[in-house]
């Protein structure tokens, strides 16, 4: 039986420093299961981050022993109505799409388990680094519920056959497999997880904020296009990017062999 979240404990914690926003899922006793309250808090933060020009990077992590165990099954079973489930999965899908739609990179910092919608969260982030002890699964089929919405994100990260195997067998894969299959970028010893994510953040923050925002938007949009359309779109994006002050400064700095001073 799960332990209820204390009423005075918010389901999501936020901290910010130097343009880097860290969101920490805060339902440790429930393995950070995605309750309605947690989904709502994530959506509110995503909406706020999308409007904040000072944000440079977002890190998504969690409190307790697990990254995220998926949806809150006890909460789901308390309202056995089709319209309720449709709305719940719509809200969850909006959160996943919202992470990708943010104009800055989102990094999942993973420890423990990431299962079902928790694995979907990892797949929905732009980058993911995990402790080498982390494990991943889309295990809904074990309780008679195919992980349909996690399949959307999962199948856009790993190959079709790998995704289908995970979805049909519910087997866990370890962090090394997750890295090999493309679900995460890197698996590191748990003691090195903080430093590895910090290093990745520092690399991103050192780049032109303008170029990063152009780049993330372009990367996902072109993936939905035919090849010729993608090149047309990419050429227009590069031309517009060239008109920005940061591109002029960056190229001049390179030619003059000095550090760039980003203006944006």
């Amino acid at each position: 039986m799960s332990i209820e979240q204390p009423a005075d404990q918010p389901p999501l914690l936020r901290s910010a420093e130097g343009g880097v926003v860290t969101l920490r899922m805060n339902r440790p006793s429930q393995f950070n299961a995605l309750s309605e309250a947690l989904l709502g808090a994530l959506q509110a933060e995503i909406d706020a981050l999308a409007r904040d020009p000072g944000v440079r990077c977002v890190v998504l992590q969690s409190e307790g022993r697990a990254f995220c165990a998926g949806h809150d099954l006890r909460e789901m079973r308390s309202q056995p109505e089709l319209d309720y489930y449709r709305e719940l999965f719509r809200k969850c899908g909006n959160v996943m799409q919202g992470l990708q739609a943010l104009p800055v990179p989102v990094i999942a910092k993973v420890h423990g388990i990431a299962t079902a919608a928790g694995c979907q969260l990892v797949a929905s982030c732009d980058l993911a680094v995990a402790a080498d002890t982390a494990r991943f699964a889309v295990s809904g089929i074990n309780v008679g519920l195919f992980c349909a919405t996690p399949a959307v994100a999962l199948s856009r990260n790993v190959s079709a056959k790998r995704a289908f195997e995970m979805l049909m067998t519910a087997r866990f894969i370890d962090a090394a497999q997750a890295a090999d299959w493309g679900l995460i970028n890197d698996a590191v010893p748990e003691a090195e997880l903080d430093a590895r994510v910090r290093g990745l953040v520092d690399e991103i923050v050192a780049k032109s904020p303008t170029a990063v925002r152009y780049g993330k938007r372009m990367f996902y949009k072109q993936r939905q296009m035919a090849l010729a359309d993608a090149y047309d779109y990419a050429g227009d994006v590069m031309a517009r990017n060239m008109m920005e002050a940061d591109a002029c400064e960056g190229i001049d700095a390179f030619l003059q062999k000095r550090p760039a001073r980003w203006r944006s």
Side-chain angles (χ1 to χ4, degrees):
M1 181 179 295
S2 65
I3 302 171
E4 295 300 322
Q5 177 84 0
D8 60 343
Q9 290 295 314
L12 187 69
L13 304 174
R14 181 189 192 276
S15 59
E17 182 180 0
V20 179
V21 175
T22 300
L23 302 178
R24 288 179 290 144
M25 294 179 284
N26 186 39
R27 305 187 73 219
S29 297
Q30 299 84 11
F31 298 99
N32 297 301
L34 294 175
S35 63
E36 290 186 79
L38 179 49
L39 283 172
L42 282 166
Q43 187 64 64
E45 284 295 344
I46 288 168
D47 292 343
L49 290 167
R51 299 189 297 265
D52 187 346
V55 175
R56 304 288 304 280
C57 188
V58 177
V59 177
L60 179 64
Q61 60 187 75
S62 59
E63 296 291 298
R65 293 180 294 155
F67 178 74
C68 178
H71 283 287
D72 189 320
L73 298 180
R74 188 176 298 277
E75 188 177 76
M76 286 172 63
R77 286 292 293 131
S78 70
Q79 300 187 62
E81 299 173 1
L82 181 60
D83 287 345
Y84 168 75
Y85 293 138
R86 282 175 170 161
E87 180 63 11
L88 175 66
F89 296 127
R90 184 193 67 80
K91 289 177 180 177
C92 183
N94 285 346
V95 165
M96 304 299 169
Q97 293 174 82
L99 292 170
Q100 196 171 99
L102 282 175
V104 297
V106 181
I107 303 171
K109 180 180 175 182
V110 187
H111 72 282
I113 61 168
T115 57
C119 189
Q120 182 184 5
L121 262 182
V122 175
S124 298
C125 292
D126 306 300
L127 300 162
V129 180
D132 58 10
T133 52
R135 297 191 302 151
F136 305 81
V138 276
S139 47
I141 203 164
N142 280 345
V143 296
L145 179 66
F146 184 75
C147 279
T149 49
V152 175
L154 182 67
S155 64
R156 284 163 169 75
N157 281 246
V158 307
S159 72
K161 284 183 170 57
R162 295 296 195 192
F164 198 77
E165 179 183 357
M166 290 181 69
L167 290 158
M168 283 296 168
T169 67
R171 284 199 301 264
F172 277 90
I173 63 171
D174 61 27
Q177 284 177 293
D180 183 54
W181 292 6
L183 179 59
I184 64 174
N185 295 84
D186 203 3
V188 300
E190 193 156 357
E192 299 174 15
L193 183 58
D194 288 348
R196 178 68 177 90
V197 172
R198 183 72 250 179
L200 192 55
V201 168
D202 288 345
E203 286 186 83
I204 291 168
V205 171
K207 304 298 189 289
S208 158
T210 299
V212 167
R213 287 173 176 250
Y214 267 110
K216 179 169 176 179
R217 182 170 60 247
M218 175 269 166
F219 179 78
Y220 289 109
K221 188 172 180 178
Q222 63 85 24
R223 293 184 75 196
Q224 310 303 318
M225 297 178 172
L227 186 63
D229 293 336
Y231 271 109
D232 286 344
Y233 168 64
D236 182 67
V237 169
M238 287 199 77
R240 292 176 184 274
N241 194 168
M242 275 296 300
M243 299 303 294
E244 297 284 351
D246 269 5
C248 298
E249 164 61 14
I251 292 171
D252 288 348
F254 175 79
L255 295 174
Q256 296 166 18
K257 296 181 172 54
R258 61 172 175 81
R261 297 182 293 271
W262 307 125
R263 303 175 188 178
S264 52

